[in-house]
Amino acid sequence: MVENLLLGFTVVFQPLPMMALLFGVTVGLIVGALPGLNDNITLAVLIPITFGMDPHVGMMILVGIYCAACYGGSIPAILLKIPGTASSIVTTLDGYPMTLKGEAGKALGIATTSSVFGGLMSSLVLMFIAPFLAHQALKFGPPEYFALTILGISTVAGMAGKSLLKNLIAGVIGLFIAMIGMSPQTGFPRFYFGNNYLLEGIPFVPMLIGLFGITSILELAEHIVKEKDIKHILPKVTRILPTKKMIKRLLPTWITSGTIGNVIGIIPGAGMLMAIYLSYDVAQRRNKDKEFGTGVPEGIASAEAANNAVVASSMVPLLSLGIPGNSASALFIGALMIQGLRPGPSLFVDHPTIAYSIIVGFFVANLFMGPLGILVSKFLATYILRIPRQILSGVIVALCATGAFAISNSIFNVWIMIIFGIIGFVFNKLNIPHSPLILTMVLGTMMERNYLQSMVLSKGSWSIFMQRPLSAVLLLMSLFFFATPFISKLLKKPIITDDIDLNN
Amino acid sequence: MISWYVDLFLSFFLFIISGFVYIQSAGFPEVSAKFPRLTAVFTIILALFLMISAIKRRNEEYAKTDNNYLIVCKIIAGLIIYSLVLKVFGYLISTIMLTSYTIFTMKYSKKKNILLISCVVILVIYLIFKVLLQIPLPRGFLNVI
């Protein structure tokens, strides 16, 4: 493993991948800071750009974006009380009060250092756990893989949105979409409506471009009249780098929140918000003498260390098992697929340079994020946050349309993008989350194939899933995750009561 | 919380979809039909739960939201027209028009700048895809770009 990691470092430290990583981190910081844009939208829109690139270079851009977007979201959260990404909602609680006290620079510095700490922690987890898990996964048979897909679906169904029923509905719609095209076992064409383009199934990347890019434009269009009157008054940003005393004070919060973020990040579908709320709650309990929500540094530190800790750790199930941890890591499947690669244990065996360069990329991207974040924070606050959203919408639409077309030079992909943009918008109106749909669409084929193979092995008996110890454990874990909404309902305690406008 | 009849409508939609999948799978070989049938049955159960929960909420009151669906429809219409004319007018003209139309529809106040901004944006995207990454883009009837 050490040789492979060194191989990863060798690939990443070449000029082109390094520049790509730097570019990705910069883009990630900018898009994260822009309210209305997030890592999912940017990754979906930019995946087609990586199509013509060397996979190592392309992946570095995406890794950089994914790492930095999460941190970038904290900048408007602190300066304007507008979370740039959903992951910065909790940062607003203590970040903005610090800005009101004239401590905007200090708050940004805390967010930067906390993000770097959480990010580095999770990249180390990814570095050591993913290859180990992938090695173990090579021994898995169809029943274990089937149980794993059930686990992935159960966690996302149990935790993605507020309603278990709506999560499951999103999941089954994803399964229906996954059934379009040739059957994985027999090659028999199903639900293709005589359209030959559909024989290979719904194209994944245009679908994601629609679900993230076009849906976000439609959401923005819906509220544009209200948006027109918003005028940002940006505060002055002074010293950003935190003092040694502050770092010492925040270290316990970073360690706790980073650990929470890593544990939750590894669980497929558990989601970043859960890690953030939990970390904030723990930080509150540990600092009972401080009034959280009034500009407490630990409040920012807990949220930022936790959300960045989720980033790389959410790649653990994707790289080692082929199961995406969240929507953003599902987008990496699209990026790997257009390069003819497939995530999962075989990636470490067949394409070790790709697998290990992604892992090392996360580590290096987090190292870049610190100094770059401090450098560009003032620039972002001065220029980028002033870009009108209408212009951004035009740019996103153009990138979406170009990207969807460029994947396979086909207008059919543009249609898929439009259809899924509308589906995403309707889903939002119906309170149906997107992540279970994406996850089941990814896992649907894998689930069906392994289910049918298990049935062949057991001569049609479902008992095979309980007879194999690992598969039984995974299924029991799935049961637990399905029950999570009911358990959390019993234990629920509201953390946020502030009037944060989530539409922003 | 959304209105109860929206959920009721969704449950009907799920019944139709799962019924369609179940009936269609009758024409598939047994192995290929197994999974769609299982999913369809599971969906019917979910639809039933949704229907019951919607009916239970029928007396609840909902705050009406002030949403601008007309602009949403205009954006969708713009995208559909773009898909239809992309091969006719070519990438550059069609995408510049789409971008300008989107910015205009979103009520950008400085109308004089819209075309200029769109041209610059699309030129940059064109250079990235066509020149840098060498990805072919539609040339249109003018056949110059």
Side-chain angles (χ1 to χ4, degrees):
Chain A
M1 194 185 85
V2 179
E3 301 94 73
N4 285 323
L5 274 175
L6 287 173
L7 185 73
F9 273 103
T10 317
V11 173
V12 173
F13 280 106
Q14 279 172 15
L16 225 54
M18 205 63 164
M19 276 162 62
L21 200 58
L22 204 62
F23 171 75
V25 171
T26 313
V27 172
L29 281 173
I30 294 171
V31 295
L34 287 167
L37 279 184
N38 60 29
D39 46 358
N40 287 339
I41 299 170
T42 318
L43 287 171
V45 167
L46 293 187
I47 282 172
I49 289 183
T50 64
F51 173 54
M53 292 179 183
D54 174 79
H56 301 93
V57 179
M59 284 301 138
M60 288 307 108
I61 293 182
L62 302 179
V63 165
I65 292 171
Y66 186 26
C67 269
C70 187
Y71 156 66
S74 67
I75 297 168
I78 290 167
L79 299 180
L80 304 166
K81 205 190 177 188
I82 300 170
T85 54
S87 57
S88 314
I89 291 171
V90 176
T91 309
T92 315
L93 296 179
D94 287 282
Y96 190 65
M98 280 185 80
T99 297
L100 292 180
K101 287 183 206 167
E103 296 175 331
K106 189 177 165 187
L108 283 174
I110 292 167
T112 310
T113 42
S114 310
S115 299
V116 172
F117 189 91
L120 284 175
M121 241 179 117
S122 73
S123 46
L124 287 173
V125 166
L126 174 69
M127 209 176 266
F128 295 106
I129 292 186
F132 169 75
L133 215 56
H135 184 70
Q136 301 305 315
L138 285 169
K139 299 168 194 161
F140 287 9
E144 285 78 18
Y145 264 108
F146 174 75
L148 254 178
T149 57
I150 294 284
L151 177 70
I153 290 171
S154 69
T155 48
V156 83
M159 300 177 200
K162 285 175 189 166
S163 154
L164 173 67
L165 192 57
K166 292 280 173 82
N167 296 348
L168 288 171
I169 287 169
V172 291
I173 294 173
L175 285 178
F176 283 140
I177 295 168
M179 282 172 209
I180 296 173
M182 286 188 278
S183 157
Q185 197 71 2
T186 61
F188 185 84
R190 299 182 303 192
F191 312 109
Y192 77 113
F193 309 105
N195 186 335
N196 290 339
Y197 284 110
L198 288 176
L199 277 174
E200 284 183 34
I202 297 278
F204 191 54
V205 176
M207 182 198 90
L208 294 176
I209 293 176
L211 272 178
F212 292 115
I214 301 298
T215 301
S216 74
I217 299 299
L218 299 181
E219 286 288 329
L220 193 64
E222 190 191 350
H223 301 104
I224 201 70
V225 178
K226 293 174 206 165
E227 294 286 329
K228 204 182 169 189
D229 299 320
I230 293 175
K231 276 186 183 162
H232 299 323
I233 299 159
L234 292 158
K236 205 175 170 215
V237 178
T238 48
R239 182 195 159 93
I240 286 181
L241 216 59
T243 57
K244 268 186 192 172
K245 197 179 161 193
M246 180 59 80
I247 291 173
K248 209 174 164 189
R249 175 179 156 183
L250 296 176
L251 198 61
T253 310
W254 288 346
I255 294 169
T256 318
S257 304
T259 310
I260 292 170
N262 272 301
V263 171
I264 291 180
I266 290 175
I267 302 168
M272 197 176 268
L273 286 178
M274 179 188 274
I276 301 164
Y277 288 136
L278 198 62
S279 300
Y280 192 77
D281 194 37
V282 171
Q284 258 180 321
R285 286 171 206 267
R286 285 171 57 107
N287 298 278
K288 282 184 179 158
D289 53 322
K290 297 179 183 89
E291 201 183 332
F292 275 63
T294 58
V296 177
E298 281 82 357
I300 303 174
S302 64
E304 286 302 309
N307 65 22
N308 282 277
V310 171
V311 173
S313 57
S314 71
M315 294 292 286
V316 172
L318 178 82
L319 289 177
S320 55
L321 307 167
I323 293 173
N326 56 18
S327 306
S329 57
L331 285 156
F332 276 86
I333 293 187
L336 288 165
M337 271 165 61
I338 62 168
Q339 299 281 1
L341 305 164
R342 189 138 193 108
S346 57
L347 190 72
F348 286 86
V349 180
D350 301 335
H351 305 279
T353 55
I354 301 275
Y356 284 95
S357 64
I358 292 174
I359 289 174
V360 173
F362 272 97
F363 184 77
V364 180
N366 278 294
L367 291 177
F368 279 156
M369 206 167 73
L372 211 61
I374 288 168
L375 273 174
V376 301
S377 283
K378 281 186 186 177
F379 167 76
L380 286 170
T382 317
Y383 300 105
I384 301 295
L385 289 175
R386 293 177 205 271
I387 296 176
R389 294 195 198 187
Q390 290 94 332
I391 292 178
L392 279 178
S393 305
V395 177
I396 296 171
V397 163
L399 276 170
C400 286
T402 314
F405 180 86
I407 294 279
S408 57
N409 226 330
S410 156
I411 289 185
F412 176 74
N413 284 351
V414 182
W415 286 107
I416 292 291
M417 172 198 83
I418 298 170
I419 291 166
F420 276 92
I422 298 169
I423 290 175
F425 181 74
V426 174
F427 266 36
N428 287 351
K429 295 295 116 196
L430 298 173
N431 289 345
I432 302 176
H434 295 185
S435 45
L437 175 123
I438 296 164
L439 198 74
T440 49
M441 217 201 118
V442 171
L443 297 180
T445 315
M446 191 177 172
M447 189 191 216
E448 182 175 2
R449 189 188 304 117
N450 288 294
Y451 169 76
L452 293 172
Q453 286 175 358
S454 305
M455 288 298 103
V456 171
L457 280 175
S458 67
K459 295 185 178 112
S461 168
W462 285 10
S463 60
I464 189 169
F465 300 116
M466 296 314 283
Q467 282 165 355
R468 311 259 290 227
L470 187 60
S471 133
V473 169
L474 291 169
L475 287 175
L476 286 174
M477 279 168 74
S478 311
L479 200 67
F480 168 77
F481 285 119
F482 268 124
T484 304
F486 303 108
I487 299 167
S488 62
K489 227 177 205 177
L490 291 172
L491 305 171
K492 205 167 186 180
K493 178 184 167 247
I495 299 169
I496 293 176
T497 50
D498 204 7
D499 56 342
I500 297 167
D501 182 2
L502 288 175
N503 289 325
N504 282 323
Chain B
M1 177 86 67
I2 55 167
S3 177
W4 72 277
Y5 56 80
V6 177
D7 275 351
L8 193 69
F9 176 77
L10 178 63
S11 69
F12 284 132
F13 174 76
L14 290 172
F15 279 128
I16 295 168
I17 290 273
S18 38
F20 171 79
V21 169
Y22 200 93
I23 293 164
Q24 279 277 309
S25 62
F28 300 163
E30 188 52 34
V31 178
S32 305
K34 214 175 242 177
F35 201 71
R37 272 186 213 154
L38 266 175
T39 314
V41 170
F42 186 59
T43 311
I44 290 171
I45 297 167
L46 290 179
L48 266 173
F49 274 112
L50 186 66
M51 185 188 254
I52 294 164
S53 86
I55 293 168
K56 271 186 185 171
R57 294 193 290 118
R58 69 186 179 280
N59 293 326
E60 286 178 17
E61 286 188 12
Y62 303 93
K64 282 193 176 173
T65 48
D66 181 24
N67 295 333
N68 206 335
Y69 290 124
L70 184 66
I71 299 184
V72 173
C73 293
K74 281 182 184 173
I75 300 280
I76 294 170
L79 283 164
I80 292 171
I81 294 167
Y82 173 77
S83 310
L84 295 172
V85 302
L86 182 60
K87 285 231 162 147
V88 182
F89 292 110
Y91 174 78
L92 273 183
I93 296 175
S94 311
T95 317
I96 287 172
M97 295 315 289
L98 175 73
T99 312
S100 305
Y101 172 80
T102 307
I103 300 173
F104 177 79
T105 312
M106 300 281 242
K107 299 184 176 175
Y108 182 56
S109 53
K110 294 170 188 166
K111 301 228 171 351
K112 284 177 191 167
N113 297 346
I114 292 177
L115 195 63
L116 181 73
I117 293 167
S118 304
C119 287
V120 173
V121 167
I122 300 309
L123 205 67
V124 172
I125 297 176
Y126 181 82
L127 286 174
I128 294 171
F129 277 88
K130 181 83 181 174
V131 180
L132 206 68
L133 301 171
Q134 311 232 318
I135 293 169
L137 295 167
R139 296 164 74 96
F141 71 92
L142 293 172
N143 206 29
V144 285
I145 40 181

